[in-house]
Amino acid sequence: MIFKSEKIISIRSKFLLLWFVLVIIIGAWVVLSAELLLRQVLQNDLTLRGVAVARDVAARCANAVIANDLHELVQTVTDTMEHNPDFVYLFILDSNNELIIHSEPDLEVSQTLRFLHRGKEMKEYSSAVFRSEAGIVYDVAVPILSGMVGTVRIGLSESNLHRSVVQTRTYLLASILLAFILGTVITFLFTSKMLAPLQQLTEATSAIAAQNFTARVQIESRDEIGRLAAAFNHMVEQLGSFKSENIAHKQELERKDKLRVQLVKRLITAQEEERKRIARELHDEAAQSLTALKLGLKAVEEENPPEKT
């Protein structure tokens, strides 16, 4: 069966295609899994950092809230915001959820944000996530003196978290791309070495098709391909032996055929000679009979001469 060349896909191409598909599938799974895990870890770390800072602020501001020392509260809030650039806001509520101080004095705290943690049990802290104009915000609430004095609220931006996730994703994609390039080179070299015996087999098969039984495949390994090459060489040796035997049989048949022709010619010659001999004998006997008959008639004629009238 003859295949059209444009429809044939080489084994090397199949290996490279398989490698490409595996890299895409495994790479996508690794990137997505790593990104999901990293995002969860960073979100947890972000929340815990917000809780730690809020607890520190709650401890430092407890007396100031009780004494209504706004200067101390402003100083504490300002220092905290300066040392945490990813904080969106920091404000303190009293026990009645009324605003005492805000990191952005010109901004008002909405009722939704103020009562974001209402209904939640707050023993040590409470956290919530919401979307704002600045993006995803992780809100942390820590009670001051078990909530009897007030609550510290901190909003943390997801920008740094997102930036870390993007950097990690970029690093993973670059690593996967590098691994793909190296794997492609290794696959190409591996398939070239692996397919070399198969190419020799193809060339040897073409030589055998041209009645050249001296072709051999070099055995470079003891794996399946090496065993295939050894079996192929053994097959070629057997075919060569069969060819030699066939040639010898053919020559013997030709010799016997020549002998048969010679025998037939001799038989025909003998038959022709026998026919000639028989013909001669028959001719001689007929002549002798005629001669004897003629002599007998002549003798009868002499013995009985015809009467004269």
Side-chain angles (χ1 to χ4, degrees):
M1 184 176 182
I2 301 177
F3 296 93
K4 296 183 178 179
S5 59
E6 62 269 21
K7 293 183 179 181
I8 295 177
I9 301 177
S10 65
I11 296 178
R12 179 182 289 111
S13 300
K14 292 179 180 178
F15 269 106
L16 292 175
L17 180 61
L18 177 61
W19 167 249
F20 178 76
V21 172
L22 288 177
V23 168
I24 292 298
I25 295 176
I26 296 176
W29 180 79
V30 169
V31 171
L32 292 177
S33 299
E35 182 175 340
L36 180 61
L37 179 61
L38 179 63
R39 184 175 293 275
Q40 291 177 348
V41 171
L42 292 178
Q43 288 174 350
N44 186 52
D45 290 344
L46 187 66
T47 302
L48 293 178
R49 187 168 69 87
V51 171
V53 174
R55 284 175 176 173
D56 180 69
V57 172
R60 292 165 56 189
C61 293
N63 294 329
V65 172
I66 296 173
N68 198 21
D69 188 351
L70 295 179
H71 177 73
E72 179 67 22
L73 294 176
V74 170
Q75 187 65 37
T76 301
V77 170
T78 303
D79 291 344
T80 303
M81 294 297 294
E82 288 179 355
H83 289 86
N84 297 278
D86 58 336
F87 283 10
V88 179
Y89 56 79
L90 191 162
F91 59 86
I92 300 175
L93 302 174
D94 61 15
S95 58
N96 296 320
N97 279 333
E98 296 295 331
L99 182 63
I100 299 176
I101 189 171
H102 195 294
S103 58
E104 299 294 336
D106 297 333
L107 297 179
E108 295 183 358
V109 180
S110 65
Q111 292 292 326
T112 302
L113 180 59
R114 185 179 301 180
F115 295 98
L116 184 63
H117 299 273
R118 173 177 287 185
K120 294 183 178 180
E121 184 178 357
M122 189 186 305
K123 292 182 179 180
E124 296 183 356
Y125 72 92
S126 177
S127 63
V129 181
F130 66 92
R131 181 179 295 276
S132 67
E133 296 179 356
I136 301 297
V137 176
Y138 292 81
D139 187 272
V140 176
V142 173
I144 303 174
L145 298 178
S146 300
M148 294 184 295
V149 176
T151 306
V152 176
R153 296 281 298 280
I154 294 179
L156 300 94
S157 174
E158 196 186 35
S159 58
N160 289 339
L161 182 150
H162 182 70
R163 190 179 302 111
S164 298
V165 171
V166 171
Q167 291 176 351
T168 303
R169 183 195 306 153
T170 303
Y171 173 78
L172 288 175
L173 290 176
S175 300
I176 292 172
L177 179 60
L178 179 61
F180 173 74
I181 295 174
L182 292 177
T184 301
V185 173
I186 294 173
T187 302
F188 182 83
L189 296 176
F190 172 76
T191 53
S192 298
K193 183 174 180 61
M194 185 186 69
L195 295 177
L198 296 181
Q199 293 175 351
Q200 294 181 19
L201 282 170
T202 303
E203 295 173 358
T205 304
S206 300
I208 292 172
Q211 301 298 317
N212 179 14
F213 294 99
T214 61
R216 295 292 185 274
V217 178
Q218 184 177 1
I219 301 175
E220 299 179 353
S221 61
R222 296 184 179 180
D223 55 7
E224 290 81 358
I225 295 180
R227 292 197 295 269
L228 175 62
F232 180 85
N233 291 337
H234 179 70
M235 180 191 69
V236 174
E237 292 177 359
Q238 293 295 323
L239 289 176
S241 300
F242 292 153
K243 181 181 179 181
S244 301
E245 293 176 0
N246 288 335
I247 292 175
H249 290 325
K250 183 179 180 181
Q251 292 175 349
E252 180 67 18
L253 289 175
E254 290 177 351
R255 187 182 66 82
K256 291 181 178 180
D257 189 62
K258 290 180 180 179
L259 291 175
R260 184 180 61 81
V261 171
Q262 292 177 358
L263 290 174
V264 171
K265 287 182 179 179
R266 290 180 182 179
L267 179 61
I268 292 173
T269 302
Q271 289 176 350
E272 289 292 332
E273 291 177 353
E274 181 67 18
R275 280 196 292 269
K276 288 179 182 180
R277 186 184 63 79
I278 294 173
R280 284 195 301 269
E281 291 179 355
L282 291 174
H283 183 269
D284 293 342
E285 290 179 358
Q288 290 176 1
S289 298
L290 289 174
T291 301
L293 180 61
K294 183 178 179 181
L295 292 174
L297 289 174
K298 188 175 181 180
V300 171
E301 184 180 2
E302 290 177 350
E303 293 176 357
N304 300 296
E307 295 179 357
K308 293 181 179 180
T309 59

